[in-house]
């Protein structure tokens, strides 16, 4: 029996639905995640899926929310050392690892329009983005110590995130002719250029 099939048998129905949806997402993209295809993969009726998820949007949101929690856990578990720029670069590396390992998931998390997705600036300033909170703490530390000019912390967090996410989007879209290693180094340089622009 296939390893994936054995693994699926050990899960609850709700978990099976989520894992089947994530498998379809990873293999074919968000468009492939339909209630009928997920139901077929799990071996239940399409109506049975609705007992666990209100609709397709709710299922995709659950995948995205779970993925943000996983990314936040990776950030929380990381051991950050060095100066502020080195620690910010480490955050970028963790983000790049997540994006390059899961390109279609990255698209769902950061590019696809989704109901319930966090929105700037209210949700960020309210601390609702666990993946951005750590960056905000480091930017605030930089301002408090005089490394960075006083400014809107959350605007800077959003801008640096947009910089890296935009580069990743272009890379995954085949618009960047670099190896993954060279691309990572380029992202580091881009981050340094941005940080140089907000230094005192």
């Amino acid at each position: 029996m296939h390893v994936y099939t054995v693994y699926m048998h050990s899960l609850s129905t709700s978990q099976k639905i989520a894992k089947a949806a994530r498998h379809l997402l990873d293999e074919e993209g968000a468009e492939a995640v339909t209630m009928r295809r997920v139901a077929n993969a799990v071996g239940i009726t399409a109506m049975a899926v609705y007992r666990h998820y209100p609709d397709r949007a709710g299922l995709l949101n659950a995948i995205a929310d779970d993925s943000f929690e996983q990314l936040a856990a990776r950030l929380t578990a990381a051991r950050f050392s060095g100066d502020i720029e080195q620690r910010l670069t480490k955050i970028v590396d963790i983000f790049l690892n997540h994006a390059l390992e899961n390109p279609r998931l990255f698209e769902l998390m950061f590019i696809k329009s989704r109901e319930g997705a966090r929105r700037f600036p209210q949700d960020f300033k309210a601390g609702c983005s666990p993946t951005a909170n750590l960056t905000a703490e480091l930017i605030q530390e930089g301002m408090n110590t005089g490394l960075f000019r006083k400014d809107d912390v959350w605007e800077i967090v959003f801008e640096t995130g947009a910089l890296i996410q935009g580069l990743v989007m272009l890379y995954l879209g085949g618009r960047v002719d670099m190896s993954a290693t060279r691309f990572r180094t380029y992202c580091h340089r881009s981050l340094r250029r941005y940080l140089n622009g907000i230094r005192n």
Side-chain angles (χ1 to χ4, degrees), residues 95-112:
F95 175 83
L96 287 174
N97 291 341
H98 187 77
L100 298 179
E101 290 164 8
N102 309 281
R104 287 181 166 134
L105 180 60
F106 165 83
E107 184 179 23
L108 174 65
M109 292 170 69
F110 294 101
I111 300 173
K112 292 286 186 183

Side-chain angles (χ1 to χ4, degrees), residues 16-18 20-25 28-42 44-47 49-50 53 55-57 59-60 63:
K16 288 178 182 178
I17 292 168
R22 172 66 189 274
H23 186 70
L24 282 169
L25 173 73
E28 302 178 46
E31 293 73 17
V33 182
T34 66
M35 301 303 249
R36 185 174 299 281
R37 289 194 65 184
V38 170
N40 288 341
V42 177
I44 58 178
T45 66
M47 288 305 297
V49 178
Y50 288 97
Y53 297 93
D55 50 29
R56 178 177 177 274
L59 178 54
L60 289 172
I63 294 172

